[in-house]
Amino acid sequence: MADIPLVLEPETLADAEAIERLSERVFGPGRFAKTAYRLREEAEPDLSLSFVARVGTLLIGANRMTPILIGETPALLLGPLIVEPVFRSQGIGEALVTSSLGAAKAAGWKLVILVGDEPYYARMGFQRAPKGQISLPGPVDPERLLYCELEPDAMATAKGAARGA
């Protein structure tokens, strides 16, 4: 049987239902209690910076980028990053994140934050945020609050509470 190629493309409004079903399978109903979801409730993702992964017509992964403000500094919140479990450990998540970061940089964004595992996201340019520099609307393990500068020194002005833009 021939290999079916993986296709990465910007998310469209038509993808919303498939992404929601995938998110439900991967994260379950408890996902709505997470602090990052509180930020996502305040703003819509930028679909031009959010990507989906497909094998044929099947959506197997997605990554969203949501505009936020940290104090008065514009930034993006990356996530959720979701990949269908059977397709994990094949580089799909990293490809989705890399596509989103590239599109964000090309669009003039300077800073991206997320709540996630540093060992995984470090290879894509993320590092731990300085403790106390950013506050989110709920509890977050400071070891999991990460940032990626798309322009040097972009983190220097990002101070204060994060909120939807």
Side-chain angles (χ1 to χ4, degrees), residues 57-137:
T57 60
L58 179 66
L59 188 138
I60 61 161
N63 180 59
R64 286 185 166 158
M65 296 282 258
T66 303
I68 62 169
L69 291 169
I70 302 170
E72 297 305 316
T73 301
L76 292 165
L77 175 67
L78 186 146
L81 171 62
I82 43 179
V83 176
E84 190 72 60
V86 72
F87 290 97
R88 288 189 184 154
S89 300
Q90 297 181 35
I92 296 166
E94 188 170 342
L96 286 164
V97 171
T98 300
S99 294
S100 287
L101 292 175
K105 185 171 182 161
W109 288 92
K110 298 175 184 174
L111 182 65
V112 179
I113 69 166
L114 63 83
V115 178
D117 296 323
E118 186 178 16
Y120 178 77
Y121 288 101
R123 63 182 179 234
M124 292 167 260
F126 285 86
Q127 58 189 309
R128 195 171 304 146
K131 287 185 178 163
Q133 187 168 334
I134 300 171
S135 64
L136 298 181

Side-chain angles (χ1 to χ4, degrees), residues 39-68:
L39 278 173
R40 292 184 195 111
E41 290 171 350
E42 299 177 7
E44 292 295 318
D46 183 329
L47 299 185
S48 70
L49 309 176
S50 302
F51 283 79
V52 297
R54 296 182 202 285
V55 172
T57 60
L58 179 66
L59 188 138
I60 61 161
N63 180 59
R64 286 185 166 158
M65 296 282 258
T66 303
I68 62 169

Side-chain angles (χ1 to χ4, degrees), residues 20-41:
E20 184 57 31
R21 284 195 315 268
L22 178 59
S23 187
E24 172 68 27
R25 282 193 308 279
V26 172
F27 296 121
R31 69 191 182 279
F32 297 114
K34 295 183 177 186
T35 297
Y37 273 85
R38 292 183 189 159
L39 278 173
R40 292 184 195 111
E41 290 171 350

